[in-house]
Every structure is written in C-alpha cells, then in structure tokens.
Amino acid sequence: MPKYICKCGNIINLSDIPSPNQLLLIEDRDYDKYFGDIDAEKLHHDMSLVVRCVNCKRLYIFENGYSKEPIVYQIEKGKWNKND
C-alpha cells in the first residue's frame, strides 16, 4: 500500500520506510508478554498498523491488515476540559 487517500482528500504517502505517516499500536496486555530478548518480527505481527493524516489528523487503524476496513478516528471539535 504505497499511498492511502484520506476522507479529507489528502493523499497519505506510505512508500517511505520507515514511514512518518504510520504508527504501530499494541494493547498493553499483549505487550506484557514481551520481555528479555524480543523477536521483532513477532512483535510487529502482534501490532496494529495506524495510518495518520497530517492534514486533518484522522487515524486509520488497520487491526487485520489492509484487506479489511479500518477503524477511523477523527478529532472532535471544541476545547478539551481536563476537569470533565
């Protein structure tokens, strides 16, 4: 997947390795099984790929590879109140 088109219309380049537009995500409980010497390929396999749009900041989370629809997160409008 060399590029991904965001819902805002921005073309996200994914061809650079490592890519500044990709993040890796792992659940805390899954990460806890790694200690000592780590098999980087197994760790990478256990992570979900996240594609980030630099334009609108949407996050596309691919939990099951690129062949499945991603979960999409978009920033809410308004101010965040840390006291809520």
Side-chain angles (χ1 to χ4, degrees):
M1 175 186 256
K3 64 182 173 180
Y4 191 81
I5 300 174
C6 182
K7 291 184 177 198
C8 75
N10 184 41
I11 297 174
I12 304 168
N13 181 1
L14 301 173
S15 60
D16 292 339
I17 299 174
S19 174
N21 301 314
Q22 291 184 31
L23 307 166
L24 295 171
L25 182 71
I26 191 168
E27 288 184 25
D28 191 41
R29 63 183 174 190
D30 289 337
Y31 180 77
D32 281 348
K33 57 186 176 179
Y34 291 93
F35 57 91
D37 293 333
I38 295 175
D39 181 344
E41 286 188 38
K42 178 156 177 31
L43 177 60
H44 189 272
H45 180 267
D46 287 348
M47 293 180 164
S48 298
L49 174 67
V50 180
V51 173
R52 175 179 50 198
C53 178
V54 296
N55 185 48
C56 71
K57 307 302 184 217
R58 272 187 182 91
L59 298 177
Y60 294 86
I61 301 177
F62 294 87
E63 291 186 316
N64 299 304
Y66 286 123
S67 60
K68 306 284 185 185
E69 281 290 315
I71 298 168
V72 181
Y73 289 92
Q74 182 178 5
I75 295 176
E76 292 185 27
K77 304 297 180 200
K79 292 187 176 184
W80 176 66
N81 184 348
K82 66 180 180 179
N83 295 322
D84 284 346

